[in-house]
Amino acid sequence: MPRPYQPSLLRLLHGATALLVPLAWLTGLLVYSRYDGRFGRLPFTLAGEWIDIHGTVGVLLWPLALLFALYALTAGRLRLRQPANALALVALVMAVGSGKLMDEDWLRDGQFHHLVYSVHLLAWLLIALAVTLHVVAVLQRGGLPLARSMASVQLRPGDLPGNWFDQIRRSFKVRS
Ligand code: HEM
């Protein structure tokens, strides 16, 4: 079987997203535990302005998620036929979209009743589930070689940054 290869633009956008999502998730957990905690709290508190830190991760994540989603829907759309890939993308868009609509003062003011906040909490749960399913599906389908292909730094000829625009453009022509 040929070694799996992922296009470099996908690796860049996916890799940066896969680094920021766990950071957003963990800082979100700390925010939830400190300010909300209706369904339980962590048994410890960590000093820090976690709302600001979580917001900063969100500010970095949303433009990246937008580019990644645009890539996945164009050049990467055949990969979205894998349900676990599509679910991971839906969860990402839901988490980032609802996060952008949040007001950072809601939790400081104890306002937990906003619909957008409930959607954001749901997205926080969903993304953990979706990414777990996604990684399990990747390992089932292609094992470690497929998982590793996303972290590889090898470049094939014709897959350099100068080719990215062409790759996206071609994806509009290929219909399947
Ligand atoms: C942390 C958040 C993650 C999100 C939101 C995410 C999302 C996605 C999405 C949407 C795709 C499809 C891309 C496309 O259509 O071009 C994808 C593909 C892929 N992801 Fe992730 N991913 C995450 C983490 C991971 C991790 C930790 C691994 C390592 C096992 C991984 C391995 C892969 C692989 C190998 C593919 C290509 C699969 C294929 O060819 O079907 N992902 N990911």
Side-chain angles (χ1 to χ4, degrees):
M1 247 206 5
R3 284 242 310 266
Y5 180 84
Q6 308 300 336
S8 55
L9 180 54
L10 171 63
R11 277 181 280 157
L12 184 71
L13 296 172
H14 181 280
T17 305
L19 283 178
L20 285 180
V21 164
L23 276 184
W25 196 90
L26 286 172
T27 55
L29 176 63
L30 292 171
V31 169
Y32 171 83
S33 176
R34 177 170 314 167
Y35 292 93
D36 185 340
R38 279 171 296 170
F39 303 102
R41 288 181 197 275
L42 293 171
F44 56 86
T45 47
L46 285 183
E49 292 299 322
W50 293 108
I51 290 188
D52 294 341
I53 296 168
H54 181 68
T56 304
V57 178
V59 165
L60 295 174
L61 184 57
W62 85 256
L64 188 66
L66 180 67
L67 291 177
F68 182 33
L70 289 174
Y71 177 92
L73 292 168
T74 55
R77 67 178 185 281
L78 294 184
R79 280 180 213 92
L80 291 183
R81 289 185 181 168
Q82 297 293 334
N85 288 359
L87 185 67
L89 186 65
V90 167
L92 177 68
V93 168
M94 187 174 157
V96 169
S98 57
K100 255 200 95 43
L101 296 174
M102 285 277 302
D103 181 324
E104 66 168 38
D105 288 329
W106 285 346
L107 296 194
R108 288 196 179 99
D109 297 344
Q111 298 181 34
F112 306 133
H113 60 278
H114 296 278
L115 178 66
V116 167
Y117 177 53
S118 303
V119 174
H120 198 51
L121 280 184
L122 210 66
W124 179 84
L125 283 176
L126 185 68
I127 199 154
L129 187 77
V131 170
T132 306
L133 285 176
H134 171 60
V135 172
V136 169
V138 163
L139 290 173
Q140 268 181 350
R141 205 151 25 92
L144 278 181
L146 180 59
R148 278 209 207 101
S149 67
M150 217 19 132
S152 158
V153 290
Q154 273 181 2
L155 289 176
R156 284 185 183 166
D159 188 23
L160 301 171
N163 306 112
W164 290 347
F165 182 71
D166 236 26
Q167 292 173 354
I168 302 279
R169 204 170 47 89
R170 254 184 284 131
S171 74
F172 285 100
K173 291 193 186 146
V174 184
R175 292 262 148 237
S176 53

